[in-house]
Amino acid sequence: MFQALSRAIGQSFDPAFRRVFNRSLLYSLVTFVLLWLGAWFALEWAGEWLVAWLRGWSGEGFWVDVVDWLVSAAGIGAIAVVSFFLFPAVMVSIMALLLDDIAAAVERRHYSDLPPAREQPLGEAIFGNLIFVAVTLVVNLLVLPLYLILIWIPPLNLVLFYLLNGYLLGREYFELVSVRRMMLADSRRMRRRNRGRLILAGAVVTFLLTIPLVNLATPIIATAFMLHIFEQLRRQEA
């Protein structure tokens, strides 16, 4: 596992990796510029409506101008705060659409003997994503009471956090890379046979996601990391 992680990190500056990161950053910035513009116009309209209503109700006055200024300042502050917290999530979500390029780059460098990757049918991809979303919701709902209890017991809540997210992220990234080489049903059988190792790999990915700035590139590293693990498992079981 350490070898797989070191290989993934060692390839971080691969041109294909940089292209995916740069494209994700660009698309995220464009997305946020559009959101900022939409939010700005909406807040301007709401602020003008509120000030006009106040003036119609009480006439001109210093405090009406103060309300106008406060609405503008609050709107700008809200946009800045929301953007700060949402930008990493948006960038990671956009990056997820480009991760097949990362898998291909890893295979070109480390597994050049492999034949062309399998094209995953759209129906299979949609079905797999729906199952993953359903599993994520069910698991989180089942574990929620335990979370609420263990929130006051720091060592145990961390163990639960890493086990839960290790399972979910290990499952997600393993299926992402494995379905390029096998049917979804075969991928799931392999995942079940190696559940412990994949939960541990998912916990490593979870840890990377908790590190500021590193979390922006974590999906790229996680994809490369999991592809190495998949190939190791595939060769061991061959």
Side-chain angles (χ1 to χ4, degrees):
M1 185 168 297
F2 290 109
Q3 182 187 41
L5 183 60
S6 64
R7 281 184 170 185
I9 295 174
Q11 200 176 346
S12 297
F13 295 100
D14 185 290
F17 283 37
R18 292 201 306 271
R19 279 195 299 272
V20 169
F21 183 86
N22 292 337
R23 285 167 63 192
S24 302
L25 180 61
L26 176 61
Y27 296 159
S28 300
L29 288 173
V30 170
T31 300
F32 270 91
V33 167
L34 294 175
L35 290 174
W36 289 331
L37 289 174
W40 177 265
F41 285 120
L43 288 168
E44 280 286 306
W45 177 84
E48 289 175 1
W49 178 87
L50 177 60
V51 170
W53 180 82
L54 287 173
R55 283 176 178 153
W57 178 64
S58 63
E60 294 291 339
F62 171 74
W63 70 278
V64 175
D65 294 330
V66 171
V67 169
D68 187 15
W69 181 85
L70 287 174
V71 168
S72 299
I76 294 171
I79 292 172
V81 170
V82 170
S83 299
F84 176 79
F85 285 105
L86 288 184
F87 188 85
V90 171
M91 184 170 173
V92 166
S93 298
I94 292 174
M95 193 179 291
L97 304 175
L98 307 172
L99 291 180
D100 195 62
D101 293 346
I102 299 300
V106 174
E107 289 179 344
R108 281 196 301 272
R109 172 178 283 196
H110 296 281
Y111 309 101
S112 56
D113 58 319
L114 290 174
R118 165 181 173 264
E119 287 285 341
Q120 187 183 18
L122 179 60
E124 183 183 277
I126 293 173
F127 177 73
N129 286 329
L130 289 175
I131 291 295
F132 176 73
V133 170
V135 168
T136 300
L137 289 173
V138 170
V139 169
N140 276 281
L141 287 173
L142 290 175
V143 174
L144 181 59
L146 193 55
Y147 254 135
L148 296 176
I149 295 171
L150 295 182
I151 194 171
W152 308 108
I153 312 175
L156 294 182
N157 60 20
L158 281 176
V159 171
L160 178 61
F161 173 77
Y162 280 104
L163 279 177
L164 175 62
N165 288 284
Y167 168 73
L168 294 173
L169 291 173
R171 177 189 180 117
E172 179 182 12
Y173 281 98
F174 182 79
E175 286 193 1
L176 172 73
V177 299
S178 61
V179 293
R180 303 176 77 253
R181 296 292 166 185
M182 57 176 57
M183 300 294 290
L184 183 59
D186 296 329
S187 165
R188 288 179 173 164
R189 280 192 288 270
M190 177 181 279
R191 175 174 55 77
R192 293 188 190 101
R193 289 194 300 271
N194 299 278
R195 185 179 289 112
R197 187 171 179 178
L198 295 177
I199 289 175
L200 183 58
V204 172
V205 175
T206 302
F207 174 72
L208 294 176
L209 285 170
T210 64
I211 304 174
L213 298 182
V214 173
N215 59 357
L216 294 177
T218 294
I220 292 174
I221 297 172
T223 301
F225 171 49
M226 196 61 75
L227 193 144
H228 287 302
I229 290 176
F230 166 67
E231 288 298 336
Q232 289 170 6
L233 293 175
R234 198 156 69 105
R235 283 160 169 71
Q236 288 171 7
E237 295 186 0

